[in-house]
Structures are given as C-alpha cells and as structure tokens.
Amino acid sequence: MKKNTLLAGIAIAGALALTMTGCASGGTSGGDAGGGGDELITVGFAQTGSESGWRSANTESMKTAFSEENGFKLTFNAADNDPAAQIAAVRDFINQGVDAIVIAPIVEDGWDDVLQEAKDAGIPVVLEDRTVTAPDDLYASWVGLDFRKEGVMAGEWAAENFGAEPTELVVLEGTTGSAPANDRAAGFDEAIEGTSIEKIDSQTGDFTRDGGKKVMEGFLQKYGADGIDLVYAHNDDMALGAIEAIEAAGATPGEDIKIISIDAVKDGMNALIDNKINFIVECNPLLGELAAGIVKDVLADKEVEKTYFVTDESFTPEQAAEVIDARLY
C-alpha cells in the first residue's frame, strides 16, 4: 500500500490530529450518502473481539459514530479473535445486502476471496485499524495508525536509554499474523539495530492481559528476574499482565525490569504514572468518526484517499501525569 502523507486537521472526539494521504475531494465531512431523506445507511462492522482496553475504546468510538442519530443502522460482530469467524461475519453482511462494510481485520492474510465477493455485490469495504495483504482495489479506503512507526518510536527510546550497555530484552508480541504485531516488531527491531540491546526471547500474548502475564511468567521461570532487563510489550494490556507476573516473582516492574508499551489507554497510562511502565507510545483508538465520514463519502461517490493515518504521541511518566485527566480513553 502506498502511503503518501499530507498533514490535515479533522476533528475526532473534539480535537484529534490526523496525518492524511492526499486531500480527499469533498473531504470526509459526512455528507448525504446518496440515499436521500432520512433513510438510514446500513453498515456491517466486523470487529476483532474485545481483547483489550484499546479494543473496547475503539468499539465504543465506532458504535457512537455509526449510530442512528448520525444516520446509520449498524450491525456489529466481534469475532473473538477468530479469523474464520470474522470472514463468516463479513459474508453474512454481504448476504444481508448492507450498504457498506467496515472491517478491523484480525490478521492480514486470507481476505482476497471475501473482499472480492463484497466488490462483486457492489458493497464498498472500509478497513479500520488493521491492514490486509489483499489487493487495494478490493477495498475503498483504510483508516488507522502507522504501526511500524509506533515500533520505531518505542525502539528509538529503548536505544537512547539502554542501547549503550548490554541489555537483555524480551518481547510480548501481539496476535500472530496481525498487522500491528508484524509492524511493531519490525519497527522496533529496526530502531535497536546496532545497539547493545539483545532480544533473548519473543512470544505472543495475543494482546490480552492474561496472555501477557502467562508469557512473562514463562520468561521469568526461564531466565529469572535477574536475567531480564527490558520488556517490550506490543500493547498495554500485555504490559499490565507482565507487571503482575514481575511483582509475583518478587521484582519491581519499572525498576528491576524496565517496560516499554504501546497503546496509552487509561490503565496503561496510570501504570506509567506509577513508574511501573517506563515509556508508552500512543495508538489512538478513536477512529469511528473518521471511518463514518469515509463511508458516507464513498456511498455518495465522492473521492476518498486510500490511506488515512491518525497521529500518535509518546509519553514518559511525567508527560502522562500532565494529560491523564483530559484523555477520553
């Protein structure tokens, strides 16, 4: 997917800075979808599941944006991180004859056939949050975060703070085969290349708190608390699970074992403020309003860009304390 970027401002939940590719003709203002009058736009939304605090905030954002008050009738499906179930849900949306489909793909691969079916049925698809490896002519647009850049930001902080001395690193990976897990790993590895940080182990915790805890328990049993200097978690929930495991092992998270995470949801930010996490890169879940605007523009035959990025920030404990009360997630 080509990602040519141009800064633009679009309001999401009050004030959300966006980095957009190009400048969409007519914008994503959420104008008349072409149905006319008060007819609701029927949309099927295939969510990954409810595996994390980030996902819950993302789901709430989507349900709010695709509400009847905003001109939509939403059919929601959460696939509990089962790719086959998610594809089946999309096929069901096609059979229902919805006006549009929005998908947060669990994994990148395996989407070619069902996206072709949607295209053949004349139903536009908008991807939200995660990407796919299918040809980009099978979907109208994608809105989300630059996962590789998030990994680079996390890795650059690690390199700056730990790269000059031998550092034993373990990684809590996201769902195997998912875009954020793949890209956050690649970006981080790129940023720490050539430093003294050594990745001694890496396993998936499926983006869940329980998964992060179990994987971290295994790492601690294998290497001991003294054998691990740094944890890189692909999301806050896994970092929070790791904190539980580290504390149960008699070590101090954020001190004996440093932790870097991605998401910046409330629980993660509070752990950062408490110095149990040392650095967090944001992954903004409030994508609903922009996704809804894109759907309306596509259905109104307005030109939309293929890729829309939401800008991420990063936080130290001090920075988190300054913004925590004003955050919506």
Side-chain angles (χ1 to χ4, degrees):
M1 182 187 297
K2 295 182 179 179
K3 300 177 181 177
N4 305 313
T5 57
L6 172 69
L7 293 178
I10 295 179
I12 294 182
L16 182 63
L18 296 177
T19 304
M20 298 173 51
T21 60
C23 182
S25 175
T28 53
S29 58
D32 189 351
D38 296 325
E39 184 177 350
L40 296 177
I41 300 168
T42 57
V43 174
F45 175 40
Q47 180 62 284
T48 64
S50 56
E51 68 277 5
S52 64
W54 190 98
R55 189 61 56 189
S56 297
N58 177 248
T59 293
E60 186 62 29
S61 172
M62 296 293 286
K63 286 183 175 181
T64 299
F66 286 95
S67 64
E68 290 193 9
E69 182 180 13
N70 290 333
F72 296 95
K73 180 179 179 182
L74 181 67
T75 301
F76 175 79
N77 179 276
D80 197 24
N81 281 299
D82 182 343
Q86 189 175 46
I87 289 173
V90 173
R91 285 204 167 96
D92 188 45
F93 295 152
I94 295 170
N95 292 333
Q96 291 176 37
V98 297
D99 296 318
I101 296 172
V102 180
I103 307 171
I106 295 169
V107 295
E108 293 184 290
D109 297 333
W111 287 99
D112 300 57
D113 290 345
V114 73
L115 291 180
Q116 184 64 58
E117 291 167 25
K119 184 175 182 178
D120 293 343
I123 302 173
V125 173
V126 172
L127 303 180
E128 182 260 357
D129 173 34
R130 301 183 182 182
T131 56
V132 296
T133 56
D136 64 9
D137 64 342
L138 296 182
Y139 57 90
S141 187
W142 171 89
V143 56
L145 299 308
D146 190 335
F147 301 129
R148 188 181 184 92
K149 183 178 179 181
E150 292 169 353
V152 169
M153 292 168 68
E156 287 176 342
W157 188 86
E160 180 180 348
N161 287 273
F162 306 106
E165 57 186 50
T167 300
E168 305 298 309
L169 166 73
V170 295
V171 180
L172 302 175
E173 304 169 13
T175 301
T176 301
S178 68
N182 292 342
D183 292 350
R184 287 171 184 170
F188 190 90
D189 288 347
E190 173 189 315
I192 66 170
E193 187 175 358
T195 71
S196 295
I197 299 171
E198 180 186 1
K199 181 165 61 177
I200 60 174
D201 219 328
S202 182
Q203 293 183 33
T204 180
D206 274 329
F207 287 126
T208 67
R209 191 172 304 197
D210 186 56
K213 181 180 180 180
K214 288 180 179 177
V215 172
M216 192 66 208
E217 286 172 343
F219 288 158
L220 289 164
Q221 187 173 31
K222 185 175 182 180
Y223 302 104
D226 293 338
I228 301 171
D229 301 309
L230 179 63
V231 175
Y232 169 42
H234 285 182
N235 80 336
D236 287 349
D237 276 75
M238 291 190 297
L240 292 166
I243 288 170
E244 294 180 23
I246 292 167
E247 290 178 333
T252 303
E255 185 176 332
D256 297 326
I257 299 176
K258 310 293 186 182
I259 299 176
I260 301 171
S261 181
I262 296 177
D263 268 0
V265 296
K266 275 283 176 68
D267 285 351
M269 292 286 274
N270 282 324
L272 180 64
I273 292 168
D274 291 340
N275 293 301
K276 294 184 178 183
I277 295 176
N278 303 89
F279 186 71
I280 290 181
V281 176
E282 182 180 45
C283 182
N284 199 310
L286 306 181
L287 306 177
E289 188 171 329
L290 180 55
I294 293 170
V295 167
K296 285 189 174 182
D297 279 354
V298 169
L299 292 174
D301 293 323
K302 294 182 180 180
E303 182 183 350
V304 299
E305 298 300 326
K306 211 66 181 182
T307 303
Y308 295 88
F309 281 117
V310 176
T311 300
D312 288 319
E313 298 182 37
S314 62
F315 302 94
T316 62
E318 296 75 19
Q319 291 167 332
E322 291 175 0
V323 302
I324 187 68
D325 291 337
R327 290 176 67 79
L328 298 176
Y329 57 94

